[in-house]
Amino acid sequence: MNIFATLGQDIVRLWNDYASMYLNGIWNTLSLAVVCTIVGCLIGLLCGILNTIPYSKNDNIFKRFFLRLVRILIQIYVEIFRGTPMILQAVVIYYGLPYFTNQAVRFHSIWLCAFLVVSINTGAYMAESVRGGIISIDPGQTEGAKAIGMTHWQTMIHVILPQALRNILPQIGNNLIINIKDTSVMSIIGFTEFFAIHKNVAGTTYLYFPSAAIEMIGYLTLTLISSFILRRIEKKMEGSDTYELTQDDMLTLAAGTYRLDKKPEDLVERNLEGGNAK
């Protein structure tokens, strides 16, 4: 009990002395993770759409060459940024870019470099998620949209993407939670996020474990709140799964048209009433 009491006292003392630093680190971590997840999703969305543009032998040779080149470049981008650690990507971009450009290009803002690294890394993962989400949609919907004269982009925007985004929403949430934790590697280039604050405080006070305990509680709180919000959004987008055959119009009865009933108990009452009427 004395050990836990001592640990609690150290944690309270650290929080009282360095609360503003910890909170600033939490804010930097959360803002970087959220912004980079949004930008990464946009990058992945663009790559996923470009990766799924159809072409055939009957198309113009320049169109086929351009689409093949785009897909090759996207594949190289995805493989490089998914196949290497984010910490090395940060080192290469922040320290390596000025080296290879003979000091012509240098990041004067650590924020900008961290934003670029995390966004590009997230975009590489989201590119494959978006591609998979688009492919998962029934091809018949694409064929139906083209049959009524819609272009590829119109089909994507109005028919495919609304359904694909709902399918990949869990992956978007997963990437947000990963970014909340993985932004800690940005401390390698001097970005003052949550984990960097821990290293500074622990190096000053030599209270490594109490400071680490504060970090654990902070990261766990951020991820739990994010998971709760994302589950609520997913549940909102799912809607109701209770359907009944529309019987108000006899012309639609033969077509097998279905209507969403948001209250399952209403469906039960309707069926009972129909049975009693007979």
Side-chain angles (χ1 to χ4, degrees):
M1 293 297 295
N2 292 333
I3 296 177
F4 288 106
T6 302
L7 176 60
Q9 292 174 0
D10 290 338
I11 291 175
V12 171
R13 181 160 62 89
L14 283 178
W15 182 257
N16 290 334
D17 294 340
Y18 300 99
S20 60
M21 294 179 61
Y22 283 118
L23 291 175
N24 183 64
I26 290 174
W27 170 251
N28 289 343
T29 292
L30 190 59
S31 56
L32 182 66
V34 171
V35 173
C36 291
T37 300
I38 294 173
V39 175
C41 287
L42 295 177
I43 295 174
L45 186 63
L46 178 61
C47 292
I49 293 175
L50 291 175
N51 243 340
T52 54
I53 297 178
Y55 65 90
S56 63
K57 295 180 180 180
N58 298 326
D59 290 328
N60 186 288
I61 185 172
F62 295 104
K63 177 182 178 181
R64 286 182 288 155
F65 173 78
F66 174 75
L67 291 178
R68 287 180 180 177
L69 178 62
V70 167
R71 292 185 181 183
I72 291 174
L73 294 177
I74 291 175
Q75 189 64 28
I76 293 174
Y77 156 64
V78 169
E79 294 299 331
I80 289 177
F81 281 90
R82 289 203 312 171
T84 56
M86 189 188 294
I87 189 171
L88 288 181
Q89 296 167 14
V91 170
V92 169
I93 292 178
Y94 187 74
Y95 296 107
L97 196 58
Y99 179 82
F100 286 107
T101 58
N102 197 22
Q103 307 297 322
V105 178
R106 178 181 294 276
F107 284 98
H108 297 286
S109 172
I110 296 176
W111 256 101
L112 177 61
C113 183
F115 164 78
L116 183 65
V117 173
V118 180
S119 297
I120 294 177
N121 185 275
T122 303
Y125 283 93
M126 285 306 304
E128 288 299 293
S129 298
V130 172
R131 186 178 69 88
I134 293 174
I135 294 175
S136 68
I137 304 302
D138 187 357
Q141 299 195 35
T142 302
E143 296 172 2
K146 291 183 178 179
I148 62 175
M150 296 180 70
T151 64
H152 175 75
W153 291 102
Q154 289 175 331
T155 302
M156 277 290 171
I157 294 173
H158 299 291
V159 179
I160 304 301
L161 287 181
Q163 301 175 75
L165 289 175
R166 186 178 64 179
N167 293 339
I168 66 175
L169 184 60
Q171 182 60 34
I172 295 175
N174 187 48
N175 280 328
L176 173 60
I177 292 174
I178 290 174
N179 284 340
I180 289 176
K181 297 180 296 182
D182 285 358
T183 49
S184 59
V185 303
M186 291 299 108
S187 61
I188 193 70
I189 61 174
F191 183 71
T192 56
E193 42 69 52
F194 197 24
F195 186 74
I197 300 299
H198 156 68
K199 293 196 298 184
N200 293 337
V201 172
T204 302
T205 61
Y206 296 100
L207 297 174
Y208 289 93
F209 184 69
S211 181
I214 294 176
E215 292 282 315
M216 290 285 289
I217 295 172
Y219 277 116
L220 184 60
T221 301
L222 291 176
T223 54
L224 287 177
I225 293 175
S226 300
S227 297
F228 174 78
I229 294 174
L230 291 166
R231 287 196 185 98
R232 297 290 295 179
I233 296 175
E234 290 176 23
K235 187 175 181 180
K236 189 73 173 177
M237 293 185 68
E238 284 177 1
S240 176
D241 57 355
T242 302
Y243 292 84
E244 63 170 325
L245 189 63
T246 300
Q247 299 179 354
D248 295 337
D249 188 351
M250 295 305 295
L251 293 177
T252 62
L253 180 60
T257 305
Y258 288 84
R259 179 179 64 200
L260 175 63
D261 189 343
K262 295 184 178 180
K263 297 181 179 180
E265 60 272 13
D266 293 344
L267 177 58
V268 175
E269 293 178 2
R270 183 184 292 267
N271 291 334
L272 291 176
E273 292 174 0
N276 293 334
K278 294 180 179 179

